[in-house]
Amino acid sequence: MHKIMTPGPTQVAPNVLQARSLPCTNPDLDVAFVEDYKQLCLKISALLKTEAETLILGGEGILGLEAACASLTEEGDRVLVIDNGVFGKGFQDFVSMYGGVPVLFTGDYRETIDVAALKAFLEDDSDFKYATVVHGDTPSGMLNDVGAITKLLKEYGILTVVDAVSTMFGEALDVSNIDILCGGSQKVISAPPGLTINVVSDDAKAAINARQTPIRSFYANLKVFFNYYEEKWFPYTMPISDINGLRVAIENIEADGEIYERHARIAKATRAAIVASGLKLYANSGYSNTVSVFEVPAGTTAEAILETMKNEHNIMIAGSFDVFAGKIIRIGHMGNNSSVENVAETLAALDKTFAALGVELKASLAEVFEANL
């Protein structure tokens, strides 16, 4: 099996795998499971330093993004889609499929969102029910200042939906102005894919409850969860083994007092190595601490780099897709991937990979990485 150093899914700790193998009760009938689920949700909210309610849904992280849009959007609602990456732009599809009217604020894909430019845009047009923004746009490794963006949006009375699937617990985030925060199990949290996390504010709940029309989905629907605890009932059978694993993964995060600092230190050293080697970082600003992204150098291809890493060094890193297909390489140093040993091994393998492919580097990626820790 390959060592995965991709920007999700990430490596899963043995205690998480063990928790997923525990005997299962019937989550539809066992009230104790409802209590366990509730306590896990409270723990996630506490770690995020918010009193907003956490809900855990059975489905990969994309479900949370769609559920946020499905639950808020009614026919004809204007929705501001803040776009400086593939996932940022992708929110327009969820808005449209549920009858909304997406209006894009598009920035440079190599730059973090310019908050001053967004403010100037809103001064001319702020008639939006809600806005969507991505904290860490994984296909390019772009990080946006979501704290400043959501604070600005709130000044205009606009609800906010934030995709933090690739950054939750890897990048510090002020969630005080976020109405629906979306996370996923398979990134920094380092559990297997299969669960989405939605943290829902009272303002978001009020907007959902005030809808004039029914939500156009059952599965992608946050409202069906609003009374689960009082009624001791879930709208569908919950994936109990996945949730058992998530509980232990969250406990691992709770016990890790330096998780944000470690991600920042390793990411900074990785970027220093990429620059010193002569490779080019894709972004000009907005560098994520969960994934580093560099352009494919002349003389080789993304496919050649990825295949050599897998076949010769047993390490899986990632290319990208959509407008970035074939152009960039991504190293995922998030969650359990984010250790000095994992990243040093990956960069040493990249040194050998580029040598084998005839690409001359100005400096050793591994040596510069270790010198900058």
Side-chain angles (χ1 to χ4, degrees), residues 107-169:
D108 188 326
Y109 276 29
R110 291 183 185 265
E111 305 284 356
T112 191
I113 286 292
D114 184 334
V115 180
L118 178 60
K119 180 176 175 60
F121 175 89
L122 291 170
E123 287 174 354
D124 289 334
D125 185 4
S126 61
D127 182 21
F128 302 103
K129 183 175 185 178
Y130 68 94
T132 65
V133 61
V134 177
H135 189 207
D137 210 308
T138 330
S140 64
M142 179 58 62
L143 188 76
N144 289 312
D145 186 352
V146 163
I149 291 169
T150 55
K151 183 176 184 293
L152 173 63
L153 291 165
K154 279 293 190 179
E155 291 173 3
Y156 288 86
I158 301 169
L159 295 168
T160 58
V161 172
V162 173
D163 172 359
V165 171
S166 73
T167 55
M168 185 179 283
F169 301 119

Side-chain angles (χ1 to χ4, degrees), residues 14 31-32 56-57 96 108 112 133 140 156 212 255-256 275-276 323 349 356 363:
V31 175
I56 302 165
L57 281 61
S96 297
D108 188 326
T112 191
V133 61
S140 64
Y156 288 86
Q212 300 300 303
D256 186 348
V275 171
V323 296

Side-chain angles (χ1 to χ4, degrees), residues 234-289:
F234 291 99
Y236 49 79
T237 300
M238 300 303 289
I240 182 171
S241 295
D242 290 345
I243 291 171
N244 285 338
L246 178 65
R247 179 178 298 104
V248 174
I250 292 296
E251 290 170 353
N252 290 344
I253 290 170
E254 185 180 34
D256 186 348
E258 297 185 344
I259 191 167
Y260 293 114
E261 292 81 1
R262 185 178 74 254
H263 277 80
R265 183 175 69 253
I266 287 174
K268 183 178 179 181
T270 303
R271 292 193 295 270
I274 290 169
V275 171
S277 75
L279 296 170
K280 186 178 187 307
L281 292 167
Y282 170 75
N284 296 326
S285 64
Y287 302 112
S288 171
N289 286 336

Side-chain angles (χ1 to χ4, degrees), residues 41-83:
C41 290
L42 289 171
K43 188 184 294 290
I44 293 170
S45 291
L47 287 171
L48 292 169
K49 297 181 172 58
T50 180
E51 295 184 0
E53 182 176 18
T54 292
L55 299 171
I56 302 165
L57 281 61
E60 195 272 340
I62 290 291
L63 172 62
L65 311 182
E66 182 173 345
C69 295
S71 300
L72 285 172
T73 309
E74 293 191 79
E75 188 73 33
D77 284 340
R78 298 179 79 240
V79 178
L80 178 62
V81 175
I82 298 174
D83 159 35

Side-chain angles (χ1 to χ4, degrees), residues 85-370:
V86 172
F87 287 161
K89 186 176 183 179
F91 265 114
Q92 70 177 337
D93 297 330
F94 295 134
V95 172
S96 297
M97 73 175 63
Y98 291 103
V101 180
V103 177
L104 269 64
F105 174 83
T106 299
D108 188 326
Y109 276 29
R110 291 183 185 265
E111 305 284 356
T112 191
I113 286 292
D114 184 334
V115 180
L118 178 60
K119 180 176 175 60
F121 175 89
L122 291 170
E123 287 174 354
D124 289 334
D125 185 4
S126 61
D127 182 21
F128 302 103
K129 183 175 185 178
Y130 68 94
T132 65
V133 61
V134 177
H135 189 207
D137 210 308
T138 330
S140 64
M142 179 58 62
L143 188 76
N144 289 312
D145 186 352
V146 163
I149 291 169
T150 55
K151 183 176 184 293
L152 173 63
L153 291 165
K154 279 293 190 179
E155 291 173 3
Y156 288 86
I158 301 169
L159 295 168
T160 58
V161 172
V162 173
D163 172 359
V165 171
S166 73
T167 55
M168 185 179 283
F169 301 119
E171 292 274 3
L173 178 61
D174 177 4
V175 304
S176 58
N177 292 301
I178 298 174
D179 290 299
I180 302 181
L181 177 67
C182 306
S185 58
Q186 78 274 26
K187 303 280 188 175
V188 179
I189 292 172
S190 295
L195 294 175
T196 192
I197 295 167
N198 286 100
V199 186
V200 188
S201 74
D202 288 342
D203 285 348
K205 288 183 179 179
I208 292 168
N209 287 329
R211 290 176 58 108
Q212 300 300 303
T213 57
I215 294 171
R216 294 182 180 179
S217 177
F218 180 81
Y219 206 77
N221 182 337
L222 297 177
K223 187 173 182 177
V224 294
F225 278 84
F226 284 176
N227 297 314
Y228 82 88
Y229 186 68
E230 293 77 10
E231 297 173 359
K232 303 294 186 285
W233 178 87
F234 291 99
Y236 49 79
T237 300
M238 300 303 289
I240 182 171
S241 295
D242 290 345
I243 291 171
N244 285 338
L246 178 65
R247 179 178 298 104
V248 174
I250 292 296
E251 290 170 353
N252 290 344
I253 290 170
E254 185 180 34
D256 186 348
E258 297 185 344
I259 191 167
Y260 293 114
E261 292 81 1
R262 185 178 74 254
H263 277 80
R265 183 175 69 253
I266 287 174
K268 183 178 179 181
T270 303
R271 292 193 295 270
I274 290 169
V275 171
S277 75
L279 296 170
K280 186 178 187 307
L281 292 167
Y282 170 75
N284 296 326
S285 64
Y287 302 112
S288 171
N289 286 336
T290 63
V291 56
S292 287
V293 182
F294 61 87
E295 296 181 7
V296 174
T300 189
T301 64
E303 182 180 11
I305 296 167
L306 300 176
E307 288 302 308
T308 304
M309 286 289 288
K310 281 194 300 183
N311 297 335
E312 301 300 323
H313 304 288
N314 203 38
I315 297 174
M316 186 179 293
I317 55 176
S320 196
F321 51 92
D322 201 277
V323 296
F324 304 117
K327 298 177 181 178
I328 58 179
I329 297 293
R330 301 180 295 158
I331 303 169
H333 39 68
M334 58 176 66
N336 289 346
N337 292 10
S338 182
S339 73
V340 171
E341 295 76 16
N342 281 333
V343 178
E345 180 184 353
T346 302
L347 294 180
L350 270 171
D351 281 334
K352 294 175 182 176
T353 293
F354 283 123
L357 295 174
V359 176
E360 185 174 351
L361 300 179
K362 294 181 179 179
S364 162
L365 288 159
E367 290 177 5
V368 176
F369 170 74
E370 295 194 23

